[in-house]
């Protein structure tokens, strides 16, 4: 398995390990961000450190995509969510395997990895999504 995009999440190194999002934590004010960044959006601290973010949170807002662009890996309709992680960071992603009419703000979700294709070398290309808990 290889990530579809590098620097976004960590693949689990074994069956007992959870995948993690790669974000940042400000040493000055303690706020978390995703994706990782160099300057804190809350207090302006520079050089904030990379940290692993757990994949659990709540739907902060969402929209239903009812059309897809040509060549898209997704099939409409599907749900795009903004999740507020337990650490406070906001993450936008697709909500996997759900009825769009059943989704509500505040629902608990967790990150999952999903195969999106195969690389030229034959590796599974993985992306992260969220699913309802
Ligand atoms: Zn800060």
């Amino acid at each position: 398995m290889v990530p579809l995009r590098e620097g976004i999440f960590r693949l689990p190194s074994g069956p007992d390990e959870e995948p993690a999002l790669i974000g940042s934590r400000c040493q000055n004010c303690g706020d978390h961000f995703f994706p990782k960044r160099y300057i804190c959006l809350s207090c302006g601290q520079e050089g904030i450190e990379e940290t692993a973010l757990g994949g659990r949170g709540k739907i902060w807002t969402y929209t239903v995509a009812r059309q897809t662009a040509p060549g898209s890996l997704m099939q409409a309709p599907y749900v795009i969510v903004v999740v507020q992680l337990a650490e406070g960071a906001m993450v936008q992603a697709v909500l996997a395997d759900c009825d769009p009419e059943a989704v509500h703000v505040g629902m608990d979700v967790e990150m999952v990895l999903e195969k999106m294709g195969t690389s030229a070398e034959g590796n599974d290309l993985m992306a992260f999504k969220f699913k309802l808990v």
Side-chain angles (χ1 to χ4, degrees):
M1 292 192 297
V2 294
L4 193 60
R5 277 179 57 196
E6 293 289 340
I8 302 295
F9 62 88
R10 289 188 197 143
L11 293 165
S13 59
D16 298 332
E17 194 178 306
E18 299 278 323
L21 293 167
I22 300 172
S24 300
R25 180 186 174 278
C26 177
Q27 306 92 301
N28 187 47
C29 73
D31 281 0
H32 291 80
F33 302 94
F34 177 85
K36 66 181 176 183
R37 49 182 304 116
Y38 181 74
I39 298 174
C40 177
L41 284 174
S42 300
C43 73
Q45 175 79 25
E46 292 186 28
I48 64 176
E49 63 191 9
E50 180 178 308
T51 190
L53 300 170
R56 290 182 177 269
K58 290 182 181 297
I59 296 174
W60 188 74
T61 191
Y62 70 96
T63 190
V64 180
R66 300 197 185 274
Q67 294 185 327
T68 47
S72 172
L73 296 174
M74 298 301 303
Q75 278 210 314
Y78 62 95
V79 179
I80 301 166
V81 288
V82 175
V83 171
Q84 185 167 35
L85 297 177
E87 295 90 343
M90 305 295 259
V91 181
Q92 180 179 309
V94 169
L95 189 63
D97 305 327
C98 67
D99 172 7
E101 305 308 318
V103 176
H104 300 287
V105 168
M107 292 176 104
D108 291 318
V109 293
E110 67 180 7
M111 182 181 77
V112 291
L113 298 180
E114 196 170 288
K115 180 182 172 181
M116 300 301 287
T118 306
S119 72
E121 298 79 29
N123 296 313
D124 289 345
L125 292 170
M126 306 301 288
F128 80 93
K129 296 181 177 181
F130 285 92
K131 69 170 188 180
L132 297 173
V133 176

